[in-house]
Amino acid sequence: MTTRATRGPRRRTVVALAVILTVLATFVVRLVDIQVVSADAHVSDSLQHLGAGDTISGQRGSIVDSGGTVLASSVMVYDAQLSPKVIMLLEDKEPELPWAEASEKIAAITGQTGDEVRTIVADALAVDAESQYAPLKKSLTTEQYIELRDLKLSYLHFEARETRVYPNGAVAGNVLGFLDNSGAAQAGIEQMEESCLAPVDGEESYRIGKDGVVIPGSERIVDAVNGGTVQLTINSDLNWYLQQMIAEEAQKQGAKGGTVTVVEVKTGKIRAAAEWPAMDPNDLDSSTPETRYSQIFHKDFEPGSTFKAITAAAAIEGAGLTPYSTVTASSRETFPNGAVINDSFNHPAYNYTLAGGLIDSSNVALSKFGTMVSPDVRYDYLQNFGVGEKTLGFPSEVGGILHPVSEWDNQSLYTTTFGQYFTVTAPQLAGAYQAIANGGEKIDLSLIESCTGSDGTVVTPDAPAHQQVVAEKTAAELTQMLENVAVQGGNADRIQVPGYRVTSKTGTAQVSDGNGGYKAGVYYTSMVGFAPVDDPQYVVVVTLDEPTKVVSSAATASAFQKAMTQVMKTYRVMPSTIPMDALLPKFG
């Protein structure tokens, strides 16, 4: 039997339990609504956006020479700013380091004077009394940044950025290229090897709530991948010497410019690409748009007499000639088709040997030797020796001009035998002589050794193509004749390299006037050769653009001799041990 006394507490307990169950049921219903029924809507409402985050910048790769010397790298620099308003507010509160003293400490680190630093702040306040920004100094080094940071000045702020530096300045600068203000490669190796050098940026991403707080556990980091290291075939020490030398020689001859190209005979690797005017990628403002690109690859010219050796090759293999084969040649002759050909010096009718035609560089003699084979055969030899094709795809590289035989007229039928009516670049000329020096085997030139990724993976370019362009016997006969040019030619005394047997051939090419003719008395001179003759190791090509003191190919003799001598020293090439054969006769 339930009494009134026991019914009261029990009723209150039931009511309380009912209330609790009701509240609990309400929470359960609401939870189901939040977690299941309206989950997507609530998530979208609670998040400000998905994938918020920051870019993690990678560092551009370096460029090094054949021995690992750094030629281009990226470094972190800091731009410093001041807050004039904060400086003045602190001055009113008698700071631990007064502005007069702090400005002197800052100046000592930045390389300014205390007055210059104080003037920056004063000028900013004169324009705006509430100024929060005044640029102090750009491109501070990491060491300077640390010293300034350690001053612990609340009004000193820094912005870090990456910049490109070229430790050796103008050494191979035209070949290295440069970046624009946005960091995009504009020329040279910087552009050619962009796929290796360019970094891959990473990202730090996360979810942010409406209150701006990062949601725990939502963070995701993709690390940046730094660019790789490009190793060149170039020897920077040799390049430095040759740049100084060609600058001196070009200016001595009153030339507009000059270049030296060095190629390793047995590999086709370019060991030096020196030129003047030279560009320092650290200081683009000191150069002109024309000098910011490599003239070695960008400029083509008629090779002139340097390509008489290629005509000789075609005649030897196509007409069965030898160095002793002869033609009669005067200094000026009119050919059956009406073409008139002149030699550079007056002489009576000589019974020139093929060797003698090369030694005296007789245009008339080579015209007669060259036309003993058909124009199509000569065209094929020019093409096989590299005329009309780019050497290695260098940015802005030109391939030269090789007109089809159908465009050869009465005059060019003969002028093509002595290096006119087609154009080449210095690397193409070097490549042609590399083939002669290498027993007739032409190897594609190369400038890149490898790309080493940030993970240490080394990627090397495809092996260069090899082509036997003339027989080994033909190459040996050409080498013998070219050595006789060096010994018996007009520049013999000026190009001797003590201890070494050397080949050489000069070129004195007329310069186009842009209207189908040539400039009067203006020439593009060149000299090419290789050494040692008994074991060819290096080809050297020297060019001078429109010299004015000496306008003949003799202008290049001094530079060629100095360049070849330095190359032999740099690579410690053993002197010649086999004496030269008997001199070839100039006349039959």
Side-chain angles (χ1 to χ4, degrees):
M1 181 178 179
T2 302
T3 65
R4 184 185 299 267
T6 58
R7 284 200 302 270
R10 186 177 297 172
R11 185 179 295 116
R12 286 193 295 272
T13 299
V14 171
V15 171
L17 182 59
V19 171
I20 291 172
L21 291 173
T22 300
V23 172
L24 183 60
T26 301
F27 276 117
V28 170
V29 172
R30 183 57 177 160
L31 185 60
V32 171
D33 177 64
I34 292 172
Q35 296 286 342
V36 181
V37 180
S38 304
D40 292 340
H42 288 301
V43 169
S44 298
D45 188 51
S46 66
L47 292 178
Q48 190 173 41
H49 56 82
L50 296 175
D54 301 305
T55 298
I56 302 173
S57 297
Q59 191 171 54
R60 188 174 180 82
S62 299
I63 302 173
V64 302
D65 80 343
S66 59
T69 298
V70 177
L71 301 176
S73 63
S74 291
V75 298
M76 195 65 70
V77 295
Y78 300 83
D79 297 336
Q81 304 95 33
L82 295 164
S83 176
K85 182 179 179 180
V86 174
I87 292 172
M88 293 301 100
L89 288 174
L90 290 176
E91 282 295 284
D92 292 339
K93 298 178 181 179
E94 297 183 0
E96 182 178 333
L97 189 63
W99 173 234
E101 186 179 345
S103 58
E104 292 292 340
K105 288 182 176 292
I106 292 171
I109 297 170
T110 62
Q112 298 162 289
T113 67
D115 286 340
E116 288 175 331
V117 174
R118 289 186 289 272
T119 298
I120 290 172
V121 173
D123 288 348
L125 291 171
V127 175
D128 179 7
E130 299 294 315
S131 174
Q132 294 274 21
Y133 173 80
L136 173 62
K137 191 73 176 287
K138 289 187 174 182
S139 301
L140 296 171
T141 65
T142 300
E143 291 75 15
Q144 289 173 307
Y145 159 70
I146 292 173
E147 287 186 61
L148 289 170
R149 183 199 62 188
D150 289 346
L151 294 177
K152 298 180 180 179
L153 300 172
S154 60
Y155 46 75
L156 194 54
H157 308 283
F158 306 93
E159 182 177 320
R161 60 183 173 84
E162 185 181 85
T163 190
R164 201 70 168 158
V165 295
Y166 301 85
N168 286 338
V171 176
N174 302 71
V175 172
L176 294 175
F178 59 94
L179 310 181
D180 64 15
N181 291 333
S182 68
Q186 297 299 301
I189 298 298
E190 294 279 21
Q191 185 176 359
M192 181 178 175
E193 291 296 304
E194 176 69 13
S195 61
C196 175
L197 295 167
V200 177
D201 288 343
E203 183 184 31
E204 181 181 8
S205 59
Y206 41 81
R207 294 173 181 263
I208 302 176
K210 277 191 171 182
D211 56 1
V213 176
V214 174
I215 297 176
S218 67
E219 299 93 338
R220 184 174 70 91
I221 296 177
V222 177
D223 292 330
V225 179
N226 292 332
T229 297
V230 171
Q231 184 170 35
L232 305 182
T233 59
I234 284 177
N235 180 317
S236 61
D237 289 340
L238 177 62
N239 219 91
W240 175 85
Y241 171 85
L242 295 178
Q243 278 187 223
Q244 309 307 309
M245 184 275 292
I246 196 61
E248 179 182 341
E249 291 289 330
Q251 292 174 82
K252 183 189 300 182
Q253 295 297 337
K256 293 167 58 177
T259 72
V260 184
T261 307
V262 179
V263 169
E264 196 168 68
V265 168
K266 292 177 173 58
T267 64
K269 294 179 179 180
I270 297 174
R271 293 305 186 187
E275 55 195 289
W276 178 83
M279 175 198 69
D280 182 350
N282 295 308
D283 184 16
L284 291 178
D285 292 339
S286 66
S287 62
T288 65
E290 293 76 22
T291 60
R292 291 176 187 169
Y293 302 90
S294 176
Q295 296 304 302
I296 289 175
F297 296 96
H298 186 65
K299 186 176 183 63
D300 59 334
F301 53 93
E302 290 188 346
S305 298
T306 56
F307 256 71
K308 286 175 179 173
I310 311 308
T311 298
I316 289 171
E317 297 195 338
L321 304 188
T322 72
Y324 301 92
S325 299
T326 61
V327 296
T328 300
S330 301
S331 56
R332 177 183 173 89
E333 290 196 22
T334 301
F335 285 80
N337 66 1
V340 177
I341 302 299
N342 299 288
D343 281 351
S344 61
F345 63 100
N346 292 322
H347 63 83
Y350 287 147
N351 191 35
Y352 269 123
T353 63
L354 180 56
L358 288 175
I359 292 168
D360 280 359
S361 204
S362 169
N363 295 337
V364 176
L366 265 294
S367 293
K368 292 185 174 183
F369 284 122
T371 50
M372 290 181 182
V373 295
S374 71
D376 288 327
V377 169
R378 285 196 283 123
Y379 178 92
D380 288 342
Y381 274 84
L382 291 173
Q383 192 173 55
N384 287 340
F385 272 94
V387 180
E389 295 182 0
K390 297 179 180 180
T391 55
L392 42 74
F394 190 85
S396 80
E397 180 181 7
V398 296
I401 298 171
L402 179 59
H403 298 281
V405 173
S406 60
E407 296 180 8
W408 294 12
D409 60 16
N410 287 357
Q411 194 73 15
S412 56
L413 176 67
Y414 298 100
T415 60
T416 48
T417 66
F418 51 86
Q420 290 186 1
Y421 198 60
F422 63 90
T423 64
V424 300
T425 62
Q428 287 173 331
L429 179 54
Y433 275 70
Q434 175 275 327
I436 297 172
N438 198 41
E441 183 184 41
K442 187 175 185 296
I443 303 174
D444 283 352
L445 302 189
S446 59
L447 193 55
I448 307 299
E449 288 281 10
S450 64
C451 168
T452 302
S454 58
D455 62 352
T457 301
V458 179
V459 177
T460 56
D462 293 337
H466 293 233
Q467 179 185 1
Q468 194 74 31
V469 293
V470 293
E472 188 173 351
K473 179 177 180 295
T474 303
E477 291 178 321
L478 292 172
T479 298
Q480 184 183 21
M481 289 190 287
L482 290 169
E483 183 177 16
N484 274 265
V485 173
V487 173
Q488 299 189 61
N491 292 304
D493 293 339
R494 291 187 287 270
I495 64 171
Q496 290 182 7
V497 179
Y500 297 90
R501 293 169 55 191
V502 178
T503 69
S504 76
K505 191 72 190 80
T506 58
T508 306
Q510 293 175 285
V511 178
S512 172
D513 62 6
N515 298 311
Y518 293 104
K519 296 179 181 179
V522 176
Y523 300 95
Y524 192 93
T525 64
S526 59
M527 184 176 285
V528 57
F530 52 85
V533 170
D534 44 333
D535 183 19
Q537 298 293 315
Y538 295 95
V539 175
V540 171
V541 175
V542 175
T543 71
L544 289 177
D545 189 357
E546 300 184 19
T548 57
K549 297 292 178 63
V550 177
V551 298
S552 70
S553 56
T556 58
S558 174
F560 177 84
Q561 194 277 340
K562 291 176 181 177
M564 185 64 80
T565 300
Q566 187 62 37
V567 170
M568 296 296 103
K569 288 181 179 178
T570 297
Y571 289 104
R572 299 182 179 181
V573 177
M574 292 294 295
S576 297
T577 56
I578 301 174
M580 179 182 177
D581 293 335
L583 295 179
L584 293 173
K586 289 172 58 175
F587 309 112

